[in-house]
């Protein structure tokens, strides 16, 4: 909690958009573009709102949110590895790596949107595994539920990083679609 967020490059834009959402609302944000994916600036706006209530810097609230996001990501990784029946030692090493990796820890303490993609990417893998399992077992109701859930998570990740929307047009040629 003693770390300091460095505000530079894209972080300046995220901070500006979060402030715009916080002070002027969604209507003004939409009038100006939107120029970026909306989910991360919305998280910053929520941090600013909570910080305003407690009279503290929004950086402290944002760091707490991002630590929680990192922790949720680690829990999802654990459940995903369990679902995929990965060896206990490999599970432990993977979770430890996620806790001490400079890249991952830096993402948790920077004002960049990548941290929000971590749990969403893992959730995509986990939900897809459950979806595949239910599809193979012919559980139609569960298959539909996990399909909708997967679509929602894909939509959320696109609202964090639009690059996830990209689909190679040649991808479906083999399926004759």
């Amino acid at each position: 909690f003693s770390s300091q967020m460095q505000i530079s490059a894209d972080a300046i834009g995220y901070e500006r958009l979060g402030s715009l959402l916080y002070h002027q609302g969604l209507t003004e944000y939409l009038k100006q573009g939107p120029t970026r994916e909306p989910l991360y600036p919305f998280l910053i706006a929520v941090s600013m709102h909570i910080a305003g209530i407690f009279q503290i810097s929004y950086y402290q609230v944002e760091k707490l949110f991002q630590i929680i996001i990192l922790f949720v990501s680690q829990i999802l990784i654990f459940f995903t590895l369990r679902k995929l029946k990965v060896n206990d030692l490999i599970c432990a090493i993977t979770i430890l790596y996620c806790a001490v990796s400079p890249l991952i820890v830096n993402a948790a303490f920077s004002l960049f949107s990548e941290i929000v993609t971590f749990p969403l990417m893992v959730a995509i893998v986990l939900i897809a595994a459950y979806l595949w399992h239910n599809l193979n077992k012919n559980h139609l109701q569960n298959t539909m539920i996990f399909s909708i859930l997967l679509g929602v998570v894909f939509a959320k990740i696109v609202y964090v990083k639009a690059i996830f929307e990209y689909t190679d047009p040649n991808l479906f040629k083999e399926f004759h679609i």
Side-chain angles (χ1 to χ4, degrees), residues 23 30 43 52 54 67 71 77-78 81 86 92 105-106 111 115 123 125 128-129 135 148 160 172:
H23 293 291
L30 293 174
L43 180 66
F54 292 104
I67 289 169
F71 184 65
I77 289 169
F78 176 76
L81 294 173
V86 173
V105 171
N106 185 47
L111 197 63
I115 187 69
V125 173
L135 191 61
I148 291 168
V160 176
F172 298 105

Side-chain angles (χ1 to χ4, degrees), residues 4-132:
Q4 302 248 343
M5 283 189 171
Q6 298 299 317
I7 308 300
S8 62
D10 283 351
I12 295 170
Y14 286 125
E15 185 176 48
R16 184 187 63 77
L17 290 173
S19 181
L20 177 72
L21 278 166
Y22 174 58
H23 293 291
Q24 297 177 20
L26 183 62
T27 304
E28 190 61 33
Y29 174 80
L30 293 174
K31 281 182 185 177
Q32 292 191 16
T35 57
R36 301 295 307 246
E37 301 87 347
L39 198 56
Y40 192 66
F42 177 75
L43 180 66
I44 293 171
V46 170
S47 295
M48 289 177 173
H49 177 74
I50 293 170
I53 292 170
F54 292 104
Q55 302 293 313
I56 57 175
S57 169
Y58 92 89
Y59 297 126
Q60 294 172 308
V61 178
E62 187 65 25
K63 280 191 282 187
L64 180 62
F65 277 162
Q66 293 189 186
I67 289 169
I68 291 168
I69 290 169
L70 182 60
F71 184 65
V72 167
S73 299
Q74 291 170 332
I75 291 170
L76 285 173
I77 289 169
F78 176 76
F79 284 128
T80 302
L81 294 173
R82 282 283 178 225
K83 175 70 180 163
L84 298 174
K85 296 179 173 80
V86 173
N87 178 289
D88 288 346
L89 179 62
I90 294 174
C91 284
I93 291 170
T94 303
I95 298 299
L96 178 64
Y97 175 77
C98 290
V100 298
S101 165
L103 179 98
I104 294 172
V105 171
N106 185 47
F109 292 105
S110 299
L111 197 63
F112 293 121
S113 63
E114 283 75 13
I115 187 69
V116 181
T117 65
F118 293 174
L120 295 173
M121 288 187 295
V122 180
I124 287 169
V125 173
L126 184 61
I127 294 167
Y130 280 111
L131 176 61
W132 186 256

